[in-house]
Amino acid sequence: MSSALPPQLFDRDLLRQRRNRAAGSIQSYNFLVQRAFDDICDRVEGVMRDFDTTLILGGGPGLSGELRQRHAGSKAGHVIQSDLAPAVAARLDAPALALDEERLPFSDASLDLILAPLGLHWTNDLPGVLVQLRRALKPDGFLAAALLGGNSLTELRQSLMAAEAELTGGAHARVSPLAGTFDIAALLQRAGFTMPVADIDRVTVRYDNAFALMADLRGMAETSILADRPRSPATRALFVRMAEIYAERFSDPDGRIRATFEIVHAAGWAPHPDQPVAKRPGSATVRLADALGVTEKSAGEKAGR
């Protein structure tokens, strides 16, 4: 009999430890979170309604203050923040909770708005988490989320694999596989959200070298948490060779290297009877040509035949 549990790709205990360790300085490395949260606030500002109870799910310190400085804050009502790591949660504006996104503690239909900036990509069962989020929302509640996508850090991944293959004749997965080419809008719909939308923001960040990039990743607590990661530490020689390959393949004329981050944005609504419903295909009573006031031509006429 097969297990109903999803595969455990990520070691979330390790993620919690790393976020705890980075808690004191994580806000200094949150430029990607800030970018994602700025876009999330734009989405909220485009919604023509207010929300009584808002949850900021992850993202780290400073976001509730950022929200209050935006027009989105006037729509957000009572704001609760959360983080996976207790040490980070302790630095959030009250009220704040330390919680696991895979096991949300909220009652059904208890929240009006959920903002989730750059945390859900570390969940082992994203479809299951989306179902929990939809259940936590009241009817006509709104979710706006951002996740790191599968093309993030492609340069680092390629350079590490090439260096390890060259030095040892084989290669281990040392950069976590992030959400790939999935259709996030389809996942939202499958989880019960209505009117799902999604888009991608691709960001190129430049660094002096690969070691500066890795220092930023440690500061963000975004280093690999693969459950089946190699247990023996990588050698210094591997990282030195990786940095050389990175510079050879992915540097600009000024010698600085490029690092790609892909931010996948997703938004959807908890169902409500008053929401607009798409019409059934074939149910139109007026031809498009008549509505536009033009004469409809056959394919042959368009081709000049």
Side-chain angles (χ1 to χ4, degrees):
M1 177 192 262
S2 62
S3 171
L5 294 175
Q8 300 298 296
L9 297 176
F10 303 124
D11 183 342
R12 291 183 58 80
D13 287 336
L14 179 60
L15 176 61
R16 184 183 294 104
Q17 292 170 20
R18 289 183 174 169
R19 289 188 70 80
N20 277 329
R21 188 161 54 238
S25 58
I26 198 168
Q27 191 170 357
S28 300
Y29 294 89
N30 70 346
F31 61 93
L32 289 176
V33 170
Q34 285 287 343
R35 183 183 180 106
F37 195 67
D38 185 59
D39 285 351
I40 285 173
C41 288
D42 285 344
R43 292 170 192 273
V44 174
E45 288 166 1
V47 174
M48 303 303 292
R49 59 155 292 188
D50 294 339
F51 303 93
D52 292 335
T53 305
T54 298
L55 169 68
I56 302 177
L57 186 65
L63 298 186
S64 64
E66 175 81 11
L67 179 64
R68 293 304 183 196
Q69 293 175 15
R70 298 282 304 261
H71 175 52
S74 66
K75 296 172 170 285
H78 179 65
V79 177
I80 305 164
Q81 288 189 271
S82 72
D83 200 90
L84 174 66
V88 177
R91 293 176 177 271
L92 303 177
D93 293 337
L97 303 169
L99 58 80
D100 188 340
E101 295 92 341
E102 293 189 336
R103 293 183 291 275
L104 295 176
F106 302 102
S107 302
D108 289 356
S110 59
L111 302 171
D112 298 280
L113 175 65
I114 299 175
L115 311 178
L118 295 191
L120 299 184
H121 51 273
W122 290 132
T123 57
N124 286 298
D125 179 17
L126 180 57
V129 170
L130 292 175
V131 169
Q132 292 185 60
L133 293 172
R134 192 261 304 159
R135 288 176 176 169
L137 285 170
K138 297 176 185 177
D140 208 34
F142 186 55
L143 166 70
L147 308 80
L148 286 181
N151 287 326
S152 297
L153 300 174
T154 181
E155 303 91 350
L156 178 60
R157 183 177 289 106
Q158 293 178 50
S159 300
L160 270 170
M161 292 184 68
E164 191 162 20
E166 179 182 310
L167 294 176
T168 69
H172 295 91
R174 295 186 181 274
V175 179
S176 295
L178 300 172
T181 56
F182 64 86
D183 186 344
I184 185 65
L187 285 183
L188 286 169
Q189 191 168 40
R190 178 174 142 193
F193 285 93
T194 62
M195 298 177 285
V197 295
D199 56 64
I200 295 177
D201 176 22
R202 292 185 177 88
V203 186
T204 300
V205 184
R206 301 203 315 144
Y207 290 92
D208 290 337
N209 52 57
F211 297 107
L213 164 61
M214 290 191 295
D216 259 13
L217 294 176
R218 285 192 296 272
M220 300 174 195
E222 291 287 345
T223 50
S224 177
I225 57 165
L226 279 171
D228 62 351
R229 65 196 178 279
R231 289 312 194 255
S232 57
T235 64
R236 181 177 182 277
L238 172 62
F239 286 116
V240 170
R241 183 62 185 131
M242 176 276 294
E244 293 171 348
I245 293 173
Y246 203 132
E248 291 165 4
R249 298 184 182 182
F250 303 108
S251 64
D252 289 330
D254 62 1
R256 304 191 80 199
I257 63 166
R258 302 181 300 278
T260 298
F261 294 93
E262 185 177 74
I263 302 175
V264 180
H265 283 275
W269 295 84
H272 187 277
D274 293 338
Q275 289 171 348
V277 178
K279 290 190 177 295
R280 179 176 52 83
S283 62
T285 57
V286 178
R287 295 189 316 143
L288 179 61
D290 293 340
L292 296 177
V294 298
T295 301
E296 186 176 11
K297 295 183 178 181
S298 68
E301 290 174 315
K302 291 176 183 177
R305 291 197 293 268

